[in-house]
Amino acid sequence: MKHGIYRGIAMSVAGSDSGGGAGIQADLKTFAALKVFGTTAITALTVQNSLGVTGIHNAPPEIIKAQMMAVGKDFPLDAVKTGMLGNRETISAVAEGLSELGIKKVVVDPVMVAQSGDSLLAADAVDAVKNIIVPMAMIVTPNLPEAEKLTGMKIDDVDGMAAAAREIKKLGCGAVLVKGGHLPGEPEMITDVLLADGEISLLRDRRINTTANHGTGCTLSSAIAAELAAGCSLAEAVARARKYLRAGLLYGVTAGHGAGCLGHAVTMQWTEVVNG
């Protein structure tokens, strides 16, 4: 349903990135660029910049759920994405909120480790991700390290990615997108593996040579949620989200001393609004 200039309403349940390149900040920028009205439930405050994460303050689980309920009982949420959930208590609270609000279009980005290598998920919470939040997802979007943690598999090639997608699907989610940016041996191409409706699809693009790639996972998952909120099918939402991500990579910004961030303010053809 359209709401003025906006094509839908979505929520991000994720952590705050003080550097602005990932987390809640990246999600809201993505929603805005794709003309979807963005709302949030903040799960954690991180102290971070382009060089890494130096502090994390987790929000109380009851406050996280309260944010979700306050927004969800007031706004007609068309889709929700989850990002950094941090610990088992937060995962349980978020799952309760999603269930009580009856959200069907849920995109789960199983955030476990920051690009800098800093852990964003308690060690004892991986099982909670697998057993509590993943089964609620319309689609789960792990990168290779996350897919390995979810399956216990070592992934070395595209066949391994497909096998991991099938294992993750057994957890009860609707679809799986295993992202191949970390795959060794493919310097020129990136292959993502989508498992949807029982079929494996290989989504291949030429690699964009850039260091402005902080927040790619957050951006892709929020873009999928945005397009689902706008009424797209899952396949179309994934296709459009990948196009938006590539545009953001092409116009990235390196403002700090470490990894740069995506150019979230790019305009995609299907979102253009003609004034007058």
Side-chain angles (χ1 to χ4, degrees), residues 85-89 91-92 108 110-113 119-135 140 142 145-153 168 171:
L85 300 183
N87 54 54
R88 177 179 291 273
E89 293 75 20
I91 292 165
S92 295
V108 171
V111 175
M112 297 178 182
V113 180
S119 177
L120 299 177
L121 182 70
D124 63 353
V126 175
D127 282 345
V129 171
K130 293 168 61 174
N131 299 322
I132 297 174
I133 204 71
V134 167
V140 183
E146 291 160 352
E148 289 180 338
K149 283 184 176 291
L150 289 173
T151 63
M153 301 169 57
I168 295 169
L171 297 173

PDB file of all heavy atoms in Angstrom, residues 85-89 91-92 108 110-113 119-135 140 142 145-153 168 171:
ATOM      1  N   LEU A  85      21.193  -9.007  16.714  1.00  0.00           N
ATOM      2  CA  LEU A  85      20.318  -9.337  17.840  1.00  0.00           C
ATOM      3  C   LEU A  85      21.112  -9.608  19.121  1.00  0.00           C
ATOM      4  O   LEU A  85      20.542  -9.538  20.208  1.00  0.00           O
ATOM      5  CB  LEU A  85      19.416 -10.519  17.485  1.00  0.00           C
ATOM      6  CG  LEU A  85      18.492 -10.288  16.275  1.00  0.00           C
ATOM      7  CD1 LEU A  85      17.584 -11.495  16.058  1.00  0.00           C
ATOM      8  CD2 LEU A  85      17.660  -9.014  16.446  1.00  0.00           C
ATOM      9  N   GLY A  86      22.371  -9.933  19.012  1.00  0.00           N
ATOM     10  CA  GLY A  86      23.274  -9.896  20.145  1.00  0.00           C
ATOM     11  C   GLY A  86      23.301 -11.085  21.076  1.00  0.00           C
ATOM     12  O   GLY A  86      24.358 -11.643  21.343  1.00  0.00           O
ATOM     13  N   ASN A  87      22.139 -11.484  21.606  1.00  0.00           N
ATOM     14  CA  ASN A  87      22.122 -12.557  22.595  1.00  0.00           C
ATOM     15  C   ASN A  87      20.774 -13.278  22.578  1.00  0.00           C
ATOM     16  O   ASN A  87      19.820 -12.849  21.919  1.00  0.00           O
ATOM     17  CB  ASN A  87      22.425 -12.011  23.987  1.00  0.00           C
ATOM     18  CG  ASN A  87      21.507 -10.874  24.391  1.00  0.00           C
ATOM     19  OD1 ASN A  87      20.291 -11.010  24.348  1.00  0.00           O
ATOM     20  ND2 ASN A  87      22.083  -9.742  24.768  1.00  0.00           N
ATOM     21  N   ARG A  88      20.721 -14.386  23.313  1.00  0.00           N
ATOM     22  CA  ARG A  88      19.533 -15.236  23.315  1.00  0.00           C
ATOM     23  C   ARG A  88      18.292 -14.495  23.822  1.00  0.00           C
ATOM     24  O   ARG A  88      17.194 -14.660  23.290  1.00  0.00           O
ATOM     25  CB  ARG A  88      19.798 -16.470  24.187  1.00  0.00           C
ATOM     26  CG  ARG A  88      18.612 -17.402  24.341  1.00  0.00           C
ATOM     27  CD  ARG A  88      18.980 -18.592  25.184  1.00  0.00           C
ATOM     28  NE  ARG A  88      19.923 -19.462  24.485  1.00  0.00           N
ATOM     29  CZ  ARG A  88      19.545 -20.432  23.653  1.00  0.00           C
ATOM     30  NH1 ARG A  88      18.257 -20.647  23.413  1.00  0.00           N
ATOM     31  NH2 ARG A  88      20.446 -21.180  23.065  1.00  0.00           N
ATOM     32  N   GLU A  89      18.462 -13.666  24.839  1.00  0.00           N
ATOM     33  CA  GLU A  89      17.316 -12.952  25.413  1.00  0.00           C
ATOM     34  C   GLU A  89      16.706 -11.985  24.403  1.00  0.00           C
ATOM     35  O   GLU A  89      15.476 -11.881  24.284  1.00  0.00           O
ATOM     36  CB  GLU A  89      17.755 -12.206  26.675  1.00  0.00           C
ATOM     37  CG  GLU A  89      18.165 -13.090  27.836  1.00  0.00           C
ATOM     38  CD  GLU A  89      19.530 -13.735  27.666  1.00  0.00           C
ATOM     39  OE1 GLU A  89      20.348 -13.230  26.842  1.00  0.00           O
ATOM     40  OE2 GLU A  89      19.793 -14.742  28.357  1.00  0.00           O
ATOM     41  N   ILE A  91      16.953 -12.270  21.102  1.00  0.00           N
ATOM     42  CA  ILE A  91      16.345 -13.084  20.039  1.00  0.00           C
ATOM     43  C   ILE A  91      14.946 -13.535  20.444  1.00  0.00           C
ATOM     44  O   ILE A  91      13.997 -13.451  19.654  1.00  0.00           O
ATOM     45  CB  ILE A  91      17.249 -14.290  19.717  1.00  0.00           C
ATOM     46  CG1 ILE A  91      18.554 -13.815  19.068  1.00  0.00           C
ATOM     47  CG2 ILE A  91      16.537 -15.283  18.803  1.00  0.00           C
ATOM     48  CD1 ILE A  91      19.641 -14.865  19.030  1.00  0.00           C
ATOM     49  N   SER A  92      14.797 -13.970  21.670  1.00  0.00           N
ATOM     50  CA  SER A  92      13.488 -14.419  22.151  1.00  0.00           C
ATOM     51  C   SER A  92      12.492 -13.266  22.173  1.00  0.00           C
ATOM     52  O   SER A  92      11.327 -13.431  21.780  1.00  0.00           O
ATOM     53  CB  SER A  92      13.623 -15.026  23.549  1.00  0.00           C
ATOM     54  OG  SER A  92      14.406 -16.203  23.523  1.00  0.00           O
ATOM     55  N   VAL A 108      15.627 -12.107   7.654  1.00  0.00           N
ATOM     56  CA  VAL A 108      16.588 -12.310   8.736  1.00  0.00           C
ATOM     57  C   VAL A 108      18.008 -12.251   8.188  1.00  0.00           C
ATOM     58  O   VAL A 108      18.404 -13.105   7.383  1.00  0.00           O
ATOM     59  CB  VAL A 108      16.355 -13.652   9.456  1.00  0.00           C
ATOM     60  CG1 VAL A 108      17.497 -13.953  10.424  1.00  0.00           C
ATOM     61  CG2 VAL A 108      15.022 -13.624  10.204  1.00  0.00           C
ATOM     62  N   PRO A 110      21.385 -12.865   9.616  1.00  0.00           N
ATOM     63  CA  PRO A 110      21.893 -13.458  10.860  1.00  0.00           C
ATOM     64  C   PRO A 110      23.254 -12.903  11.245  1.00  0.00           C
ATOM     65  O   PRO A 110      24.288 -13.593  11.192  1.00  0.00           O
ATOM     66  CB  PRO A 110      21.958 -14.950  10.520  1.00  0.00           C
ATOM     67  CG  PRO A 110      22.242 -14.981   9.051  1.00  0.00           C
ATOM     68  CD  PRO A 110      21.513 -13.783   8.465  1.00  0.00           C
ATOM     69  N   VAL A 111      23.269 -11.641  11.640  1.00  0.00           N
ATOM     70  CA  VAL A 111      24.510 -10.922  11.918  1.00  0.00           C
ATOM     71  C   VAL A 111      25.248 -11.571  13.088  1.00  0.00           C
ATOM     72  O   VAL A 111      24.695 -11.722  14.181  1.00  0.00           O
ATOM     73  CB  VAL A 111      24.217  -9.446  12.235  1.00  0.00           C
ATOM     74  CG1 VAL A 111      25.490  -8.721  12.650  1.00  0.00           C
ATOM     75  CG2 VAL A 111      23.578  -8.769  11.025  1.00  0.00           C
ATOM     76  N   MET A 112      26.483 -11.938  12.860  1.00  0.00           N
ATOM     77  CA  MET A 112      27.285 -12.590  13.894  1.00  0.00           C
ATOM     78  C   MET A 112      28.622 -11.902  14.117  1.00  0.00           C
ATOM     79  O   MET A 112      29.085 -11.799  15.250  1.00  0.00           O
ATOM     80  CB  MET A 112      27.513 -14.056  13.524  1.00  0.00           C
ATOM     81  CG  MET A 112      26.227 -14.859  13.460  1.00  0.00           C
ATOM     82  SD  MET A 112      26.501 -16.575  12.980  1.00  0.00           S
ATOM     83  CE  MET A 112      24.803 -17.178  12.947  1.00  0.00           C
ATOM     84  N   VAL A 113      29.250 -11.429  13.044  1.00  0.00           N
ATOM     85  CA  VAL A 113      30.566 -10.810  13.140  1.00  0.00           C
ATOM     86  C   VAL A 113      30.600  -9.569  12.266  1.00  0.00           C
ATOM     87  O   VAL A 113      30.110  -9.586  11.134  1.00  0.00           O
ATOM     88  CB  VAL A 113      31.678 -11.794  12.692  1.00  0.00           C
ATOM     89  CG1 VAL A 113      33.049 -11.137  12.791  1.00  0.00           C
ATOM     90  CG2 VAL A 113      31.647 -13.065  13.530  1.00  0.00           C
ATOM     91  N   SER A 119      33.107  -9.577  17.160  1.00  0.00           N
ATOM     92  CA  SER A 119      31.924 -10.403  17.361  1.00  0.00           C
ATOM     93  C   SER A 119      30.720  -9.539  17.726  1.00  0.00           C
ATOM     94  O   SER A 119      30.818  -8.641  18.571  1.00  0.00           O
ATOM     95  CB  SER A 119      32.175 -11.433  18.464  1.00  0.00           C
ATOM     96  OG  SER A 119      31.005 -12.196  18.697  1.00  0.00           O
ATOM     97  N   LEU A 120      29.588  -9.814  17.096  1.00  0.00           N
ATOM     98  CA  LEU A 120      28.346  -9.087  17.376  1.00  0.00           C
ATOM     99  C   LEU A 120      27.255 -10.012  17.906  1.00  0.00           C
ATOM    100  O   LEU A 120      26.107  -9.602  18.056  1.00  0.00           O
ATOM    101  CB  LEU A 120      27.852  -8.385  16.099  1.00  0.00           C
ATOM    102  CG  LEU A 120      28.801  -7.344  15.503  1.00  0.00           C
ATOM    103  CD1 LEU A 120      28.221  -6.781  14.211  1.00  0.00           C
ATOM    104  CD2 LEU A 120      29.074  -6.212  16.497  1.00  0.00           C
ATOM    105  N   LEU A 121      27.604 -11.264  18.203  1.00  0.00           N
ATOM    106  CA  LEU A 121      26.636 -12.235  18.702  1.00  0.00           C
ATOM    107  C   LEU A 121      27.293 -13.085  19.775  1.00  0.00           C
ATOM    108  O   LEU A 121      28.398 -13.607  19.575  1.00  0.00           O
ATOM    109  CB  LEU A 121      26.129 -13.132  17.569  1.00  0.00           C
ATOM    110  CG  LEU A 121      25.061 -14.175  17.939  1.00  0.00           C
ATOM    111  CD1 LEU A 121      23.740 -13.487  18.249  1.00  0.00           C
ATOM    112  CD2 LEU A 121      24.880 -15.191  16.812  1.00  0.00           C
ATOM    113  N   ALA A 122      26.638 -13.215  20.922  1.00  0.00           N
ATOM    114  CA  ALA A 122      27.167 -14.044  21.994  1.00  0.00           C
ATOM    115  C   ALA A 122      27.339 -15.480  21.506  1.00  0.00           C
ATOM    116  O   ALA A 122      26.538 -15.989  20.718  1.00  0.00           O
ATOM    117  CB  ALA A 122      26.228 -14.011  23.197  1.00  0.00           C
ATOM    118  N   ALA A 123      28.391 -16.135  21.984  1.00  0.00           N
ATOM    119  CA  ALA A 123      28.725 -17.477  21.497  1.00  0.00           C
ATOM    120  C   ALA A 123      27.600 -18.472  21.731  1.00  0.00           C
ATOM    121  O   ALA A 123      27.395 -19.388  20.924  1.00  0.00           O
ATOM    122  CB  ALA A 123      30.011 -17.960  22.177  1.00  0.00           C
ATOM    123  N   ASP A 124      26.854 -18.293  22.819  1.00  0.00           N
ATOM    124  CA  ASP A 124      25.795 -19.255  23.132  1.00  0.00           C
ATOM    125  C   ASP A 124      24.469 -18.928  22.455  1.00  0.00           C
ATOM    126  O   ASP A 124      23.451 -19.559  22.737  1.00  0.00           O
ATOM    127  CB  ASP A 124      25.585 -19.348  24.644  1.00  0.00           C
ATOM    128  CG  ASP A 124      25.103 -18.030  25.251  1.00  0.00           C
ATOM    129  OD1 ASP A 124      25.054 -17.017  24.522  1.00  0.00           O
ATOM    130  OD2 ASP A 124      24.782 -18.008  26.452  1.00  0.00           O
ATOM    131  N   ALA A 125      24.472 -17.924  21.551  1.00  0.00           N
ATOM    132  CA  ALA A 125      23.228 -17.490  20.921  1.00  0.00           C
ATOM    133  C   ALA A 125      23.031 -18.041  19.520  1.00  0.00           C
ATOM    134  O   ALA A 125      21.973 -17.837  18.923  1.00  0.00           O
ATOM    135  CB  ALA A 125      23.163 -15.966  20.882  1.00  0.00           C
ATOM    136  N   VAL A 126      24.032 -18.746  18.975  1.00  0.00           N
ATOM    137  CA  VAL A 126      23.895 -19.268  17.615  1.00  0.00           C
ATOM    138  C   VAL A 126      22.719 -20.236  17.522  1.00  0.00           C
ATOM    139  O   VAL A 126      21.937 -20.199  16.576  1.00  0.00           O
ATOM    140  CB  VAL A 126      25.197 -19.953  17.156  1.00  0.00           C
ATOM    141  CG1 VAL A 126      25.005 -20.599  15.784  1.00  0.00           C
ATOM    142  CG2 VAL A 126      26.337 -18.940  17.087  1.00  0.00           C
ATOM    143  N   ASP A 127      22.565 -21.104  18.523  1.00  0.00           N
ATOM    144  CA  ASP A 127      21.444 -22.038  18.516  1.00  0.00           C
ATOM    145  C   ASP A 127      20.112 -21.305  18.567  1.00  0.00           C
ATOM    146  O   ASP A 127      19.131 -21.743  17.961  1.00  0.00           O
ATOM    147  CB  ASP A 127      21.544 -23.011  19.697  1.00  0.00           C
ATOM    148  CG  ASP A 127      22.561 -24.113  19.456  1.00  0.00           C
ATOM    149  OD1 ASP A 127      22.978 -24.294  18.290  1.00  0.00           O
ATOM    150  OD2 ASP A 127      22.950 -24.785  20.421  1.00  0.00           O
ATOM    151  N   ALA A 128      20.063 -20.174  19.277  1.00  0.00           N
ATOM    152  CA  ALA A 128      18.827 -19.390  19.338  1.00  0.00           C
ATOM    153  C   ALA A 128      18.500 -18.786  17.975  1.00  0.00           C
ATOM    154  O   ALA A 128      17.330 -18.734  17.571  1.00  0.00           O
ATOM    155  CB  ALA A 128      18.954 -18.292  20.393  1.00  0.00           C
ATOM    156  N   VAL A 129      19.528 -18.337  17.265  1.00  0.00           N
ATOM    157  CA  VAL A 129      19.305 -17.845  15.907  1.00  0.00           C
ATOM    158  C   VAL A 129      18.701 -18.955  15.044  1.00  0.00           C
ATOM    159  O   VAL A 129      17.717 -18.753  14.335  1.00  0.00           O
ATOM    160  CB  VAL A 129      20.625 -17.337  15.284  1.00  0.00           C
ATOM    161  CG1 VAL A 129      20.429 -17.022  13.800  1.00  0.00           C
ATOM    162  CG2 VAL A 129      21.120 -16.111  16.016  1.00  0.00           C
ATOM    163  N   LYS A 130      19.298 -20.152  15.126  1.00  0.00           N
ATOM    164  CA  LYS A 130      18.866 -21.278  14.304  1.00  0.00           C
ATOM    165  C   LYS A 130      17.456 -21.742  14.661  1.00  0.00           C
ATOM    166  O   LYS A 130      16.646 -22.037  13.769  1.00  0.00           O
ATOM    167  CB  LYS A 130      19.842 -22.444  14.467  1.00  0.00           C
ATOM    168  CG  LYS A 130      21.221 -22.185  13.914  1.00  0.00           C
ATOM    169  CD  LYS A 130      22.229 -23.227  14.351  1.00  0.00           C
ATOM    170  CE  LYS A 130      21.861 -24.617  13.874  1.00  0.00           C
ATOM    171  NZ  LYS A 130      22.937 -25.588  14.202  1.00  0.00           N
ATOM    172  N   ASN A 131      17.161 -21.813  15.940  1.00  0.00           N
ATOM    173  CA  ASN A 131      15.932 -22.462  16.378  1.00  0.00           C
ATOM    174  C   ASN A 131      14.774 -21.515  16.641  1.00  0.00           C
ATOM    175  O   ASN A 131      13.612 -21.947  16.667  1.00  0.00           O
ATOM    176  CB  ASN A 131      16.198 -23.277  17.653  1.00  0.00           C
ATOM    177  CG  ASN A 131      17.222 -24.366  17.435  1.00  0.00           C
ATOM    178  OD1 ASN A 131      17.255 -25.001  16.390  1.00  0.00           O
ATOM    179  ND2 ASN A 131      18.093 -24.577  18.421  1.00  0.00           N
ATOM    180  N   ILE A 132      15.073 -20.221  16.828  1.00  0.00           N
ATOM    181  CA  ILE A 132      14.010 -19.282  17.193  1.00  0.00           C
ATOM    182  C   ILE A 132      13.699 -18.297  16.073  1.00  0.00           C
ATOM    183  O   ILE A 132      12.540 -18.136  15.684  1.00  0.00           O
ATOM    184  CB  ILE A 132      14.387 -18.518  18.483  1.00  0.00           C
ATOM    185  CG1 ILE A 132      14.524 -19.496  19.655  1.00  0.00           C
ATOM    186  CG2 ILE A 132      13.329 -17.457  18.800  1.00  0.00           C
ATOM    187  CD1 ILE A 132      15.036 -18.846  20.940  1.00  0.00           C
ATOM    188  N   ILE A 133      14.729 -17.625  15.542  1.00  0.00           N
ATOM    189  CA  ILE A 133      14.456 -16.532  14.606  1.00  0.00           C
ATOM    190  C   ILE A 133      14.470 -16.968  13.151  1.00  0.00           C
ATOM    191  O   ILE A 133      13.652 -16.518  12.346  1.00  0.00           O
ATOM    192  CB  ILE A 133      15.418 -15.343  14.850  1.00  0.00           C
ATOM    193  CG1 ILE A 133      14.802 -14.040  14.331  1.00  0.00           C
ATOM    194  CG2 ILE A 133      16.790 -15.606  14.257  1.00  0.00           C
ATOM    195  CD1 ILE A 133      13.652 -13.541  15.145  1.00  0.00           C
ATOM    196  N   VAL A 134      15.388 -17.868  12.770  1.00  0.00           N
ATOM    197  CA  VAL A 134      15.438 -18.320  11.377  1.00  0.00           C
ATOM    198  C   VAL A 134      14.122 -18.963  10.925  1.00  0.00           C
ATOM    199  O   VAL A 134      13.650 -18.685   9.813  1.00  0.00           O
ATOM    200  CB  VAL A 134      16.633 -19.266  11.143  1.00  0.00           C
ATOM    201  CG1 VAL A 134      16.517 -19.986   9.805  1.00  0.00           C
ATOM    202  CG2 VAL A 134      17.943 -18.474  11.188  1.00  0.00           C
ATOM    203  N   PRO A 135      13.469 -19.803  11.752  1.00  0.00           N
ATOM    204  CA  PRO A 135      12.207 -20.408  11.300  1.00  0.00           C
ATOM    205  C   PRO A 135      11.094 -19.406  11.029  1.00  0.00           C
ATOM    206  O   PRO A 135      10.104 -19.745  10.372  1.00  0.00           O
ATOM    207  CB  PRO A 135      11.844 -21.339  12.469  1.00  0.00           C
ATOM    208  CG  PRO A 135      13.134 -21.662  13.128  1.00  0.00           C
ATOM    209  CD  PRO A 135      13.930 -20.393  13.031  1.00  0.00           C
ATOM    210  N   VAL A 140      16.305 -15.809   4.656  1.00  0.00           N
ATOM    211  CA  VAL A 140      17.492 -15.615   5.487  1.00  0.00           C
ATOM    212  C   VAL A 140      18.656 -15.289   4.563  1.00  0.00           C
ATOM    213  O   VAL A 140      18.795 -15.903   3.497  1.00  0.00           O
ATOM    214  CB  VAL A 140      17.817 -16.890   6.303  1.00  0.00           C
ATOM    215  CG1 VAL A 140      19.003 -16.654   7.228  1.00  0.00           C
ATOM    216  CG2 VAL A 140      16.599 -17.328   7.107  1.00  0.00           C
ATOM    217  N   PRO A 142      22.475 -15.139   4.919  1.00  0.00           N
ATOM    218  CA  PRO A 142      23.806 -15.254   5.512  1.00  0.00           C
ATOM    219  C   PRO A 142      24.927 -15.049   4.506  1.00  0.00           C
ATOM    220  O   PRO A 142      24.805 -15.403   3.339  1.00  0.00           O
ATOM    221  CB  PRO A 142      23.820 -16.696   6.036  1.00  0.00           C
ATOM    222  CG  PRO A 142      22.943 -17.431   5.062  1.00  0.00           C
ATOM    223  CD  PRO A 142      21.841 -16.454   4.713  1.00  0.00           C
ATOM    224  N   PRO A 145      30.723 -16.914   6.225  1.00  0.00           N
ATOM    225  CA  PRO A 145      31.015 -17.264   7.617  1.00  0.00           C
ATOM    226  C   PRO A 145      29.750 -17.547   8.428  1.00  0.00           C
ATOM    227  O   PRO A 145      29.739 -18.458   9.271  1.00  0.00           O
ATOM    228  CB  PRO A 145      31.762 -16.029   8.140  1.00  0.00           C
ATOM    229  CG  PRO A 145      32.376 -15.425   6.922  1.00  0.00           C
ATOM    230  CD  PRO A 145      31.374 -15.648   5.829  1.00  0.00           C
ATOM    231  N   GLU A 146      28.696 -16.781   8.184  1.00  0.00           N
ATOM    232  CA  GLU A 146      27.439 -17.011   8.908  1.00  0.00           C
ATOM    233  C   GLU A 146      26.797 -18.329   8.492  1.00  0.00           C
ATOM    234  O   GLU A 146      26.268 -19.072   9.330  1.00  0.00           O
ATOM    235  CB  GLU A 146      26.489 -15.833   8.660  1.00  0.00           C
ATOM    236  CG  GLU A 146      26.957 -14.542   9.310  1.00  0.00           C
ATOM    237  CD  GLU A 146      26.351 -13.291   8.718  1.00  0.00           C
ATOM    238  OE1 GLU A 146      25.660 -13.374   7.672  1.00  0.00           O
ATOM    239  OE2 GLU A 146      26.586 -12.209   9.282  1.00  0.00           O
ATOM    240  N   ALA A 147      26.853 -18.638   7.200  1.00  0.00           N
ATOM    241  CA  ALA A 147      26.300 -19.911   6.724  1.00  0.00           C
ATOM    242  C   ALA A 147      27.057 -21.083   7.328  1.00  0.00           C
ATOM    243  O   ALA A 147      26.464 -22.122   7.667  1.00  0.00           O
ATOM    244  CB  ALA A 147      26.344 -19.968   5.199  1.00  0.00           C
ATOM    245  N   GLU A 148      28.365 -20.928   7.481  1.00  0.00           N
ATOM    246  CA  GLU A 148      29.157 -21.989   8.101  1.00  0.00           C
ATOM    247  C   GLU A 148      28.774 -22.185   9.562  1.00  0.00           C
ATOM    248  O   GLU A 148      28.680 -23.323  10.049  1.00  0.00           O
ATOM    249  CB  GLU A 148      30.648 -21.671   7.965  1.00  0.00           C
ATOM    250  CG  GLU A 148      31.163 -21.801   6.537  1.00  0.00           C
ATOM    251  CD  GLU A 148      32.634 -21.500   6.400  1.00  0.00           C
ATOM    252  OE1 GLU A 148      33.196 -20.804   7.277  1.00  0.00           O
ATOM    253  OE2 GLU A 148      33.243 -21.956   5.413  1.00  0.00           O
ATOM    254  N   LYS A 149      28.531 -21.090  10.280  1.00  0.00           N
ATOM    255  CA  LYS A 149      28.128 -21.194  11.680  1.00  0.00           C
ATOM    256  C   LYS A 149      26.737 -21.814  11.818  1.00  0.00           C
ATOM    257  O   LYS A 149      26.468 -22.578  12.753  1.00  0.00           O
ATOM    258  CB  LYS A 149      28.156 -19.811  12.345  1.00  0.00           C
ATOM    259  CG  LYS A 149      29.554 -19.310  12.697  1.00  0.00           C
ATOM    260  CD  LYS A 149      29.488 -17.996  13.421  1.00  0.00           C
ATOM    261  CE  LYS A 149      30.874 -17.531  13.859  1.00  0.00           C
ATOM    262  NZ  LYS A 149      31.430 -18.395  14.926  1.00  0.00           N
ATOM    263  N   LEU A 150      25.849 -21.494  10.893  1.00  0.00           N
ATOM    264  CA  LEU A 150      24.486 -22.022  10.957  1.00  0.00           C
ATOM    265  C   LEU A 150      24.419 -23.510  10.613  1.00  0.00           C
ATOM    266  O   LEU A 150      23.509 -24.211  11.049  1.00  0.00           O
ATOM    267  CB  LEU A 150      23.575 -21.237  10.010  1.00  0.00           C
ATOM    268  CG  LEU A 150      23.245 -19.795  10.423  1.00  0.00           C
ATOM    269  CD1 LEU A 150      22.485 -19.086   9.307  1.00  0.00           C
ATOM    270  CD2 LEU A 150      22.435 -19.766  11.712  1.00  0.00           C
ATOM    271  N   THR A 151      25.373 -23.977   9.822  1.00  0.00           N
ATOM    272  CA  THR A 151      25.320 -25.365   9.343  1.00  0.00           C
ATOM    273  C   THR A 151      26.419 -26.264   9.899  1.00  0.00           C
ATOM    274  O   THR A 151      26.298 -27.491   9.841  1.00  0.00           O
ATOM    275  CB  THR A 151      25.429 -25.402   7.808  1.00  0.00           C
ATOM    276  OG1 THR A 151      26.702 -24.869   7.416  1.00  0.00           O
ATOM    277  CG2 THR A 151      24.305 -24.608   7.153  1.00  0.00           C
ATOM    278  N   GLY A 152      27.500 -25.680  10.396  1.00  0.00           N
ATOM    279  CA  GLY A 152      28.649 -26.483  10.809  1.00  0.00           C
ATOM    280  C   GLY A 152      29.461 -27.002   9.637  1.00  0.00           C
ATOM    281  O   GLY A 152      30.348 -27.833   9.805  1.00  0.00           O
ATOM    282  N   MET A 153      29.178 -26.492   8.433  1.00  0.00           N
ATOM    283  CA  MET A 153      29.864 -26.928   7.225  1.00  0.00           C
ATOM    284  C   MET A 153      31.011 -25.989   6.890  1.00  0.00           C
ATOM    285  O   MET A 153      30.975 -24.806   7.212  1.00  0.00           O
ATOM    286  CB  MET A 153      28.882 -26.968   6.041  1.00  0.00           C
ATOM    287  CG  MET A 153      27.689 -27.873   6.229  1.00  0.00           C
ATOM    288  SD  MET A 153      26.431 -27.609   4.937  1.00  0.00           S
ATOM    289  CE  MET A 153      27.386 -27.909   3.457  1.00  0.00           C
ATOM    290  N   ILE A 168      20.170 -24.864   5.742  1.00  0.00           N
ATOM    291  CA  ILE A 168      19.519 -23.756   6.448  1.00  0.00           C
ATOM    292  C   ILE A 168      18.018 -23.790   6.220  1.00  0.00           C
ATOM    293  O   ILE A 168      17.222 -23.537   7.131  1.00  0.00           O
ATOM    294  CB  ILE A 168      20.125 -22.410   6.002  1.00  0.00           C
ATOM    295  CG1 ILE A 168      21.599 -22.338   6.414  1.00  0.00           C
ATOM    296  CG2 ILE A 168      19.353 -21.234   6.588  1.00  0.00           C
ATOM    297  CD1 ILE A 168      22.365 -21.184   5.816  1.00  0.00           C
ATOM    298  N   LEU A 171      15.843 -25.594   8.633  1.00  0.00           N
ATOM    299  CA  LEU A 171      15.538 -24.979   9.923  1.00  0.00           C
ATOM    300  C   LEU A 171      14.128 -24.412   9.947  1.00  0.00           C
ATOM    301  O   LEU A 171      13.634 -24.051  11.021  1.00  0.00           O
ATOM    302  CB  LEU A 171      16.557 -23.879  10.237  1.00  0.00           C
ATOM    303  CG  LEU A 171      18.007 -24.344  10.405  1.00  0.00           C
ATOM    304  CD1 LEU A 171      18.941 -23.141  10.552  1.00  0.00           C
ATOM    305  CD2 LEU A 171      18.139 -25.268  11.616  1.00  0.00           C
TER     306      LEU A 171
END
